[in-house]
Amino acid sequence: VAIQEISVEPSALTLKEGETHLLKVQWSPSEVKVAPTFTSDDEAIATVTEAGEVRARAAGETKIQVSLGGKSAYCQLQV
């Protein structure tokens, strides 16, 4: 079954250095039982775990990409 759509909440986030936030990801069809992949465009500003927990590291802006089945969604992050 192919992924048709993926979304991440929130789509924009502001954190202070040292703060964390768990991203919420939804996709359709929802019966696909595969974990999404999370990546940070700039790990000096923020890192993200395999579970989607974002940790702010330094002041700046970056994007967190969530990928699943060839589809992607983004969370714009400001620290």
Side-chain angles (χ1 to χ4, degrees):
V1 176
I3 296 294
Q4 296 174 356
E5 183 177 15
I6 184 171
S7 65
V8 61
E9 292 179 12
S11 60
L13 181 63
T14 300
L15 294 175
K16 294 177 181 170
E17 288 181 41
E19 287 185 331
T20 62
H21 186 85
L22 186 62
L23 298 176
K24 181 178 178 181
V25 181
Q26 294 182 328
W27 58 86
S28 66
S30 59
E31 60 268 9
V32 174
K33 302 297 182 206
V34 175
T37 302
F38 297 89
T39 54
S40 172
D41 280 359
D42 190 340
E43 291 195 344
I45 295 172
T47 57
V48 61
T49 67
E50 291 178 4
E53 183 178 68
V54 178
R55 178 174 299 275
R57 299 186 67 198
E61 290 186 21
T62 189
K63 281 192 303 191
I64 304 298
Q65 179 177 345
V66 184
S67 302
L68 182 65
K71 303 285 185 182
S72 295
Y74 300 90
C75 173
Q76 186 68 39
L77 178 67
Q78 183 164 344
V79 178

